[in-house]
Amino acid sequence: MSSFQPYDLIAPVPGAPGANILIVADHASNHIPAGIDLGVADDVLQRHVAIDIGVACVSRKLCQVLGCGAVLAGVSRLVIDFNREEGAPGLIPAVSDGIAIPGNAGADVEARLAAFYRPYHAAVAAALESIERPFILSLHSFTPSLASRPEEVRPWDIGVLYNRDDRAARIAIPLLEQAGLHVGDQLPYAGTALNATMNLHAEDQGRPYLGVEMRQDHVGSDTGVRRMAEALAPVLLTCSNRLA
């Protein structure tokens, strides 16, 4: 493995309204580092199995609007999933939404942990330590439907996820609904089942956070990115001001 840096850092703007907010985006990139061949077609890397579509753009827009910081993943979730515990199923996926990832068969798990996973989480930890009384936005996106579960209906514009700490969720959900969004509470995923990064950096540390899933077809254009950032920005400030 090379010395490739598996994350992108955006520093907060001192004195900005959102200077104590940190966006953490585990699936913001579809980059495959040199030396790794997943054995999948190029078009697979443009799909949701490889990247959370819209997350990087919305994160950067929020940083511009609020002056907040961000840690954006620089490696595709198909290489290693930063939102899994070490040793968890799916950490290095063999199949994703029905698509086989043959290049992950027999992958050197320890090498990928050392090169990508641990440096990413170390960067998140360091960014949080540098902020006084931080508030975290964990940002992901979801598909309107899954190829492997076509019967599943996903009508929400946005979902709010949490595990044990639902303080920010209780503030954010009514505010997002007032903004005209159809909000899923623990939908389309539940943070009680999938919350590894926030369990580590937020809940285990007593830090307040908001877990958000955006519907990908709403953030696939510049207009959609702007609208979503405009909806999220005041909600983040309200949550931060009340909890951080």
Side-chain angles (χ1 to χ4, degrees):
M1 299 291 180
S2 70
S3 59
F4 168 75
Q5 183 169 277
Y7 53 84
D8 186 16
L9 291 177
I10 300 175
V13 178
N20 71 316
I21 297 172
L22 183 73
I23 302 171
V24 178
D26 296 323
H27 303 143
S29 175
N30 62 355
H31 178 71
I32 310 300
I36 294 178
D37 181 4
L38 297 178
V40 298
D42 289 344
D43 70 289
V44 171
L45 299 181
Q46 308 307 316
R47 298 171 58 180
H48 68 281
V49 295
I51 183 173
D52 274 357
I53 296 165
V55 163
C57 293
V58 173
S59 296
R60 294 182 186 279
K61 178 61 71 174
L62 284 169
C63 288
Q64 292 174 1
V65 171
L66 298 176
C68 58
V71 182
L72 308 178
V75 174
S76 173
R77 67 200 301 176
L78 294 180
V79 174
I80 192 163
D81 193 332
F82 294 137
N83 194 30
R84 296 287 192 279
E85 293 85 0
E86 291 192 21
L91 178 71
I92 297 178
V95 178
S96 184
D97 197 19
I99 298 173
I101 318 298
N104 282 341
D108 188 334
V109 177
E110 180 57 33
R112 292 194 194 181
L113 286 168
F116 311 127
Y117 182 97
R118 291 172 187 147
Y120 171 80
H121 283 287
V124 173
L128 288 168
E129 287 295 333
S130 71
I131 299 172
E132 184 176 358
R133 298 176 65 83
F135 180 83
I136 308 169
L137 170 65
S138 174
L139 195 59
H140 293 263
S141 67
F142 67 96
T143 57
S145 63
L146 287 172
S148 56
R149 296 202 295 272
E151 76 285 353
E152 182 180 276
V153 178
R154 292 175 152 190
W156 313 281
D157 301 312
I158 196 168
V160 174
L161 283 58
Y162 48 88
N163 189 6
R164 300 178 302 275
D165 185 354
D166 69 345
R167 292 174 295 167
R170 301 280 72 86
I171 296 169
I173 289 172
L175 293 177
L176 292 168
E177 290 175 338
Q178 290 169 24
L181 296 175
H182 186 182
V183 184
D185 185 346
Q186 295 281 53
L187 296 165
Y189 305 104
T192 50
L194 186 58
N195 204 52
T197 296
M198 288 301 97
N199 289 342
L200 175 63
H201 296 289
E203 296 215 350
D204 289 353
Q205 308 295 330
R207 295 179 178 125
Y209 73 98
L210 181 65
V212 166
E213 289 267 359
M214 309 175 295
R215 207 169 102 165
Q216 290 177 356
D217 56 339
H218 294 345
V219 289
S221 67
D222 290 344
T223 299
V225 166
R226 185 180 68 253
R227 287 174 177 168
M228 186 62 72
E230 289 173 351
L232 282 173
V235 175
L236 290 177
L237 288 178
T238 299
C239 289
S240 175
N241 290 336
R242 293 188 190 180
L243 298 175

